[in-house]
Amino acid sequence: MKTLLLTGYEPFLKFKTNPTQSAVASIEGKVIGDYKIIGRVYPVAFKEINALIEQDIETVEPDAIISLGLASGISSIHLERIAINTIDGREDNTGFKPNGEKIHENGADGLFSTLPLKHLETILLNENIPVNISNSAGTYLCNNLMYSELHYLQQKQLDIPAGFVHVPPSHEIGIAQRVPSWSQEDITRAVHIIIENLQSN
């Protein structure tokens, strides 16, 4: 059976929970479509994330990778198209504040998702799930992880579907922060549908 590495993040900054952590916990160990799901929840730490994703790719030897992140203020699933070779923005959970550094000094300026984005967009819309293909994963940990996993796969010449999906806040966050939100059930369902339909192009 094929294996899919599904990653999420722990809570960070002002967010007391993270719906990606909950989604990974709900799906971990299940068989969805062609894939057995191996879940990982990563710390929000710039100086740790590259080593963590590289180690998990080596250990799990996945046939596909989907990484999840929380984006406050969005009201639809965002299928990320590209990651850029830059970190910038707010402090992470360790107190480190990036300032435009490169993720990989000799890496490409940008790397594209290898997920079937248009196909997934169509499937999600047919399931009445709001979705957009996004052309910016930002410059925080989500972009960092997306870039790092694609860069590592490229260096190792591993041709597998891999990419990043941003999800809206859960209602718990939405109520606390007064931002658009989804139920955790709907967030997890969207991730399930993405995995289930990963094989078709």
Side-chain angles (χ1 to χ4, degrees), residues 103-135:
I103 299 168
H104 287 282
E105 190 59 38
N106 298 315
D109 291 338
L111 293 170
F112 286 91
S113 171
T114 54
L115 301 178
L117 300 183
K118 287 291 186 179
H119 170 71
L120 294 174
E121 179 187 40
T122 298
I123 292 293
L124 289 168
L125 289 173
N126 287 342
E127 293 287 342
N128 297 315
I129 295 175
V131 58
N132 286 286
I133 294 176
S134 165
N135 292 314

Side-chain angles (χ1 to χ4, degrees), residues 50-60 152:
N50 292 357
L52 287 170
I53 187 60
E54 291 175 9
Q55 177 182 315
D56 281 334
I57 292 172
E58 285 292 324
T59 303
V60 175
Y152 190 72

Side-chain angles (χ1 to χ4, degrees), residues 54 57-58 147-156:
E54 291 175 9
I57 292 172
E58 285 292 324
Y147 186 93
S148 295
E149 69 188 36
L150 293 171
H151 175 80
Y152 190 72
L153 292 172
Q154 185 183 75
Q155 295 301 303
K156 294 294 183 178

Side-chain angles (χ1 to χ4, degrees), residues 32-69:
I32 301 176
D34 295 327
Y35 298 102
K36 171 74 177 290
I37 310 304
I38 305 297
R40 296 287 188 270
V41 175
Y42 291 145
V44 178
F46 283 103
K47 293 181 179 180
E48 298 177 37
I49 199 65
N50 292 357
L52 287 170
I53 187 60
E54 291 175 9
Q55 177 182 315
D56 281 334
I57 292 172
E58 285 292 324
T59 303
V60 175
E61 297 183 336
D63 299 289
I65 305 171
I66 294 177
S67 294
L68 307 174

Side-chain angles (χ1 to χ4, degrees), residues 9 21 47 81 85 91 116 144 152 154 164 179 182 186:
Y9 275 115
Q21 183 177 32
K47 293 181 179 180
R81 177 175 272 141
N85 191 11
E91 291 183 352
N144 191 157
Y152 190 72
Q154 185 183 75
F164 202 94
V179 294
W182 285 22
D186 282 345

